[in-house]
Amino acid sequence: MVHRALAPSHRPHAPNRFGPEPVRRPHLCRCAGLRAPRSARPSHVRALRFIGLRLFGLSAAFAGSYWLLSAAYIGVRHSWIPPITPLLPGCYAFSRASAICVPLGASAAVALRRVRTLWQLWPLWRDLVNAVPDVSLAQTRQRSLALLQHSGPLDLRLYRTVIEIRDAILDLRAHIPHAILTEVRIRLEREGAPPAEEDARVTACWLRIPRRMKAEGTPPLRGDLTAPVLGGTDLPGEIEFLRKVAKADASPQIRRIAAHLSHSIEKH
């Protein structure tokens, strides 16, 4: 379900005489979100386990060296043993405490990254949810309140945010003419958009046009859904793509191009 929800290219809906149906899948978001923590575990778990075990082994080596040198000093009375032995318990305590803190530090780093990602995606999520309110499971709030609310684990909230953004994009495809998509790409190529950010900037630009058209009451277009659904092939790739889209959405250049194309559609 994760790969189906986040695939970069989706099979278009079959056309019907009533036009394309809007995508409304709040139950899918809930079901997919509940499975996200199992299928999106961090890839560095083995590395953290390796570091923790090595630190535990190092602490055991310090403790064994302390008792070995203490026992050896009873028999040999070397002068270099007494200055060394007091340092070994401190090294043992430091390595053991470090081993215990590895999972805590890793969890804190992951949590900070997720909070940062949620903070960056929130403006895009808010605008899309306001345009397509049926895809959201929660009401839009201020950015700080949205992060502080206790609505579940951070990984679940991030996964749900990605799914709701994706569902809103699928819904807005029915409100954008194919000719406008071509014009968007041509204009961005003239502006000299970086190749690595071209897809994200195109997506951010065309998303602004159907949001405005839908707010003005324009009905969905009939026929196939021709707007491309771009993105990553997995959850990290999708998150990175949406971060680029959110960054491009706040660009004055994207807003200017989208506003110009929206006015040209209204004139026709």
Side-chain angles (χ1 to χ4, degrees), residues 43-194:
S43 60
H44 56 273
V45 172
R46 292 184 179 179
L48 293 177
R49 186 182 303 172
F50 176 83
I51 295 174
L53 290 176
R54 290 302 180 272
L55 288 174
F56 268 111
L58 185 61
S59 65
F62 283 130
S65 300
Y66 172 79
W67 291 110
L68 181 62
L69 290 177
S70 299
Y73 183 72
I74 297 175
V76 296
R77 296 291 177 174
H78 287 299
S79 60
W80 57 269
I81 294 180
I84 295 178
T85 50
L87 300 177
L88 294 176
C91 294
Y92 160 80
F94 178 78
S95 57
R96 182 59 62 91
S98 300
I100 295 174
C101 290
V102 165
L104 179 61
S107 300
V110 171
L112 289 177
R113 285 198 300 268
R114 287 170 179 165
V115 169
R116 179 171 173 265
T117 302
L118 284 170
W119 183 269
Q120 294 172 339
L121 293 181
W122 187 86
L124 178 64
W125 173 84
R126 176 203 57 197
D127 294 340
L128 293 179
V129 164
N130 288 337
V132 191
D134 294 329
V135 302
S136 176
L137 296 176
Q139 297 180 352
T140 56
R141 305 175 181 227
Q142 295 182 357
R143 186 187 292 191
S144 57
L145 294 179
L147 292 177
L148 293 176
Q149 66 180 356
H150 299 281
S151 60
L154 285 174
D155 54 353
L156 175 59
R157 290 163 60 183
L158 178 58
Y159 191 83
R160 192 182 69 189
T161 299
V162 172
I163 291 295
E164 291 175 356
I165 291 175
R166 175 59 61 185
D167 285 351
I169 292 176
L170 293 176
D171 183 275
L172 292 174
R173 288 195 306 167
H175 296 265
I176 183 73
H178 181 70
I180 297 299
L181 295 175
T182 306
E183 184 68 20
V184 166
R185 190 171 292 275
I186 292 175
R187 285 180 174 269
L188 289 177
E189 290 178 355
R190 291 177 181 174
E191 298 285 345

Side-chain angles (χ1 to χ4, degrees), residues 1-11 25 28 32 35 159 163 166-167 170 229 232-234 238:
M1 184 176 296
V2 174
H3 296 290
R4 292 181 180 177
L6 295 180
S9 60
H10 295 265
R11 186 173 299 175
R25 300 181 296 171
L28 174 59
R35 296 185 181 184
Y159 191 83
I163 291 295
R166 175 59 61 185
D167 285 351
L170 293 176
V229 181
T233 57
D234 54 10
E238 182 70 17

Side-chain angles (χ1 to χ4, degrees), residues 222-245:
R222 299 178 182 272
D224 295 336
L225 303 179
T226 56
V229 181
L230 306 172
T233 57
D234 54 10
L235 183 58
E238 182 70 17
I239 291 175
E240 183 62 26
F241 176 77
L242 292 179
R243 286 175 60 183
K244 293 180 180 179
V245 173

Side-chain angles (χ1 to χ4, degrees), residues 18-24 128 131-134 167-181 184 205-228 261-262 265-266:
F18 300 105
E21 296 179 358
V23 180
R24 294 170 181 165
L128 293 179
V132 191
D134 294 329
D167 285 351
I169 292 176
L170 293 176
D171 183 275
L172 292 174
R173 288 195 306 167
H175 296 265
I176 183 73
H178 181 70
I180 297 299
L181 295 175
V184 166
C205 188
W206 76 257
L207 279 176
R208 282 189 160 271
I209 300 173
R211 292 203 313 251
R212 182 170 181 173
M213 296 176 62
K214 189 171 183 179
E216 294 175 353
T218 304
L221 302 175
R222 299 178 182 272
D224 295 336
L225 303 179
T226 56
L261 293 177
S262 298
I265 293 175
E266 292 175 359

